[in-house]
């Protein structure tokens, strides 16, 4: 790595003292942890409901498809929008879908 980079000049000790950077990194860690728990919970739910390891594995594989297929296009579209609005709308939508799914599983078949 070249010494002309910000990290090369300041060092890692200086980088972790930058509050916005650390807030961003902490938010990424929390987000990734939540994504992992979400993925595990949905695959576990599918396994409990169906007893099928194949369906559980298929769910884990299909979980990555939207990122692969839509990532570039969605990124270009979202760059034109307010980041705050995008975060609020997507997190609210995801929360609602997770809540609906959890409620449906809790209530059970009618």
């Amino acid at each position: 790595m070249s010494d002309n980079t910000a990290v090369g000049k300041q060092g890692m000790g200086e980088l972790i003292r930058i509050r916005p950077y650390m807030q961003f990194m902490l938010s990424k860690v929390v987000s990734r942890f939540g994504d992992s728990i979400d993925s595990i919970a949905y695959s576990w739910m599918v396994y409990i409901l169906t007893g099928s390891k194949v369906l559980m594995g298929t769910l884990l594989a299909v979980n990555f498809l939207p990122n692969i297929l839509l990532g570039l296009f969605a990124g270009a579209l979202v760059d034109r929008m307010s980041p705050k609005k995008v975060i609020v709308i997507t997190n609210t939508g995801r929360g609602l879908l997770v809540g609906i799914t959890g409620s449906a599983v809790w209530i059970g078949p009618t």
Side-chain angles (χ1 to χ4, degrees):
M1 180 160 64
S2 172
D3 286 334
N4 294 334
T5 63
V7 175
K9 288 181 180 178
Q10 295 179 342
M12 286 301 259
E14 292 294 320
L15 188 59
I16 63 173
R17 291 187 190 117
I18 300 172
R19 185 176 172 93
Y21 175 77
M22 289 308 296
Q23 288 173 335
F24 174 74
M25 292 307 292
L26 180 62
S27 69
K28 294 299 280 182
V29 167
V30 170
S31 177
R32 288 297 303 147
F33 180 73
D35 289 344
S36 298
I37 295 296
D38 181 67
S39 180
I40 292 167
Y42 272 107
S43 59
W44 187 17
M45 178 186 70
V46 166
Y47 181 70
I48 288 172
L49 292 174
T50 66
S52 172
K53 295 175 187 175
V54 173
L55 281 177
M56 183 179 76
T58 302
L59 177 68
L60 288 171
V62 170
N63 192 23
F64 293 106
L65 283 179
N67 290 337
I68 293 168
L69 298 175
L70 303 174
L72 293 173
F73 305 111
L77 179 66
V78 167
D79 281 344
R80 298 178 184 173
M81 303 167 78
S82 163
K84 195 174 194 175
K85 271 187 184 177
V86 170
I87 291 170
V88 168
I89 290 170
T90 56
N91 285 339
T92 302
R94 185 175 185 176
L96 287 172
L97 288 173
V98 168
I100 290 169
T101 303
S103 298
V105 169
W106 184 59
I107 292 170
T110 56

